[in-house]
Amino acid sequence: FKQKLLRALRSSNISKRIEEAIEDKLRLENIGKIKRAHRQLKKKVLSDKFSPATKHKKYIFLTEGLSASGSLKQVRDSESEAIYALRGKVKNVHKLSELVSSKEWVELMGILGIEPGGNRITPYEKIIIASDSDEDGYHISSLIVNFFYTWFPEIIKSKKLFFLYFR
């Protein structure tokens, strides 16, 4: 009887509704974690990885490491161009729980003023992925594009995402 009951429950709409309710609850918990992390981010000074624009949020460069950000800092317009240095290959985040556990992605979402499920779009006119024109640079660029495609497709649809490859 027990086995028949379990099989019937698994194939019924009840089990599907229970699974969906659990997924919704986990999603809300994870979004809550991101919001708390954003509030904490506003209270503390960001690391040396972020160089904000001083007046206008026109462009933000996402660079492949601190060395690339150092080169850009020398030539950027500090009034309107921000730089955020990613440390090597970033985590590929398909699940919300993976996104929440990645400090760099949470920090970047805070800088851009966006969160999954939110309706705010970043104030930056352009998000520019700046990386080397080699295999690692292309891989890092694809991970960043995947992040935006998975969690913030409106940034891609609104044509805010660009590439800059260093030779």
Side-chain angles (χ1 to χ4, degrees):
F1 176 76
K2 180 180 175 183
Q3 294 302 322
K4 287 182 181 179
L5 179 63
L6 289 174
R7 273 195 302 268
L9 277 175
R10 282 189 198 114
S11 63
S12 72
N13 285 337
I14 294 171
S15 67
K16 291 174 186 167
R17 281 192 251 147
I18 291 170
E19 284 179 40
E20 288 172 0
I22 291 170
E23 287 176 20
D24 288 344
K25 183 172 179 0
L26 289 174
R27 179 176 168 75
L28 290 173
E29 285 176 6
N30 285 326
I31 288 174
K33 288 178 186 177
I34 290 172
K35 288 180 180 181
R36 282 190 297 281
H38 285 181
R39 283 193 296 274
Q40 290 173 353
L41 191 64
K42 289 178 184 176
K43 293 177 186 174
K44 71 176 188 174
V45 176
L46 289 174
S47 63
D48 60 341
K49 298 180 346 176
F50 182 56
S51 300
T54 56
K55 291 187 179 179
H56 314 289
K57 293 180 177 180
K58 190 170 184 179
Y59 304 133
I60 184 166
F61 293 90
L62 307 180
T63 66
E64 177 188 357
L66 292 172
S67 61
S69 71
S71 301
L72 278 173
K73 282 180 189 176
Q74 294 175 6
V75 297
R76 77 175 175 134
D77 175 8
S78 62
E79 289 186 358
S80 63
E81 297 174 351
I83 300 171
Y84 181 70
L86 299 163
R87 297 194 190 228
K89 292 185 181 171
V90 289
K91 188 174 183 180
N92 194 0
V93 287
H94 291 290
K95 297 178 183 172
L96 193 56
S97 59
E98 295 170 338
L99 183 63
V100 171
S101 67
S102 173
K103 182 183 174 191
E104 275 192 315
W105 286 133
V106 171
E107 198 171 69
L108 181 61
M109 287 185 294
I111 290 166
L112 295 175
I114 56 178
E115 57 191 43
N119 56 2
R120 292 181 54 210
I121 193 152
T122 183
Y124 289 97
E125 291 176 26
K126 293 182 181 180
I127 299 168
I128 303 163
I129 301 168
S131 66
D132 293 332
S133 61
D134 61 13
E135 192 173 308
D136 281 340
Y138 299 138
H139 186 216
I140 291 167
S141 296
S142 68
L143 291 169
I144 297 169
V145 169
N146 183 58
F147 163 75
F148 285 110
Y149 179 79
T150 302
W151 299 106
F152 307 101
E154 65 277 359
I155 287 176
I156 295 173
K157 289 175 188 169
S158 62
K159 300 180 182 176
K160 287 186 175 246
L161 195 60
F162 294 85
F163 297 93
L164 171 65
Y165 290 111
F166 299 113
R167 291 185 186 253

